[in-house]
Amino acid sequence: EHVERGLSSPDPATRRVAARDLATLGGGRAAPLILKAMGDVDIDVRLAAAQSAIRVRTPEATEIAISWLGDREVRLRIAACEIAHAMPNPKAVAPIARALGDSDPQVRLACADALGASGSPEAIPPLAGKLDDPTPNVRIQVARALARIQDPRAVVPLVGKVQDSVPDVRQAVVRALGELGDARAAQALLLALRDNVAEVR
């Protein structure tokens, strides 16, 4: 009751504290309050509610968070991906795939992570298309996501990145190909054995 009153306070700071405390209530009692707090006008209240949703596992939060992918606030766009990563929902795959084109690299990285966690075959084409992302960390996360989904369609795009200009990306790509275990990668992996970076070899 104390937390519920806090969420209804006109003071944003009080609502933020209450949103953080939602995780202490347990799923059944917290869920409707979390969903309410995710619609708050204050960004920090929504972010705190998102973290509470992840901690108490509130699957309904994913559908609400999808709408954040178009928000101006970068933190909300990242939080939407974090919720979708923690509680995958088939309805989230297409919107997150579109958000892979976000202008912020941290959002793109979070999107790739969420798509990998979705396990959805529908995520393969958009992920494969981001193996040329200008940010190396995004390319690394895309390679990991493709490996996680375990779809053979990822092999050919990954083979094309075995000679990426960044060693950490090459390392992620060859590891992903190993996890996929497809014989079509053999020639590319033999090539990678001659890489000038020991970690890649």
Side-chain angles (χ1 to χ4, degrees):
E1 289 169 357
H2 173 73
V3 172
E4 196 165 0
R5 281 197 304 275
L7 285 175
S8 300
S9 169
D11 175 40
T14 303
R15 297 201 306 277
R16 288 171 201 156
V17 172
R20 283 193 292 270
D21 288 345
L22 283 168
T24 64
L25 300 181
R29 191 74 191 270
L33 298 175
I34 285 172
L35 300 178
K36 175 189 172 187
M38 285 179 71
D40 198 278
V41 293
D42 184 83
I43 288 171
D44 289 309
V45 172
R46 279 187 271 169
L47 290 169
Q51 292 306 309
S52 292
I54 292 169
R55 284 200 292 273
V56 300
R57 314 298 291 179
T58 310
E60 303 92 334
T62 305
E63 288 195 42
I64 293 175
I66 290 170
S67 65
W68 296 357
L69 290 168
D71 198 278
R72 186 183 302 171
E73 173 59 54
V74 170
R75 291 177 300 159
L76 281 175
R77 302 202 300 274
I78 292 172
C81 295
E82 290 172 348
I83 289 176
H85 176 273
M87 295 165 287
N89 182 324
K91 292 180 184 176
V93 174
I96 293 172
R98 287 193 294 273
L100 273 172
D102 196 280
S103 59
D104 189 283
Q106 288 303 115
V107 176
R108 298 198 301 275
L109 193 151
C111 285
D113 200 21
L115 288 172
S118 76
S120 172
E122 292 173 31
I124 296 295
L127 280 169
K130 292 307 287 181
L131 280 167
D132 288 321
D133 191 278
T135 304
N137 283 344
V138 175
R139 300 202 296 276
I140 289 168
Q141 195 57 52
V142 166
R144 289 173 180 162
L146 287 168
R148 188 170 181 183
I149 296 172
Q150 288 288 302
D151 189 304
R153 289 177 298 161
V155 174
V156 173
L158 283 166
V159 163
K161 294 305 291 179
V162 165
Q163 292 182 293
D164 191 277
S165 59
V166 178
D168 286 348
V169 176
R170 298 199 298 275
Q171 190 177 344
V173 166
V174 296
R175 181 167 284 143
L177 287 169
E179 289 175 21
L180 287 165
D182 192 300
R184 289 175 295 166
Q187 287 298 326
L189 292 172
L190 286 169
L191 187 67
L193 280 171
R194 296 197 291 273
D195 197 278
N196 58 7
V197 175
E199 286 78 11
V200 178
R201 297 198 301 274

